[in-house]
Amino acid sequence: MVTRVSNLLTTRSDSFTAYVVVQGWRNVGTPWPELVVQRRAALVLDRSGSIPGGSNNSVLSYSVPTK
């Protein structure tokens, strides 16, 4: 999984966008799996206020409307 997203991530910026898709499936492992629910989210993450090695390592996150 890490190799699939490694080319999409960077540590050279203090702000970046994360897109998340969560799926719920029924009858997984059978010949008839069924997608029950799917949710999407987008977040803007800002770590410009954190100091490497410091005690303030908080990351601000802002939710982005997806619809």
Side-chain angles (χ1 to χ4, degrees):
M1 182 60 110
V2 173
T3 57
R4 293 178 71 190
V5 297
S6 64
N7 62 338
L8 302 173
L9 300 175
T10 180
T11 57
R12 296 179 188 209
S13 177
D14 285 334
S15 64
F16 51 97
T17 306
Y19 299 98
V20 180
V21 177
V22 177
Q23 296 179 334
W25 289 83
R26 183 178 295 142
N27 299 325
V28 175
T30 68
W32 306 280
E34 176 186 4
L35 179 62
V36 179
V37 65
Q38 178 172 296
R39 299 285 187 257
R40 296 177 183 268
L43 300 165
V44 175
L45 303 166
D46 180 14
R47 62 180 185 174
S48 61
S50 64
I51 301 169
S55 60
N56 183 14
N57 288 328
S58 62
V59 175
L60 297 174
S61 65
Y62 304 96
S63 180
V64 178
T66 55
K67 285 189 178 184

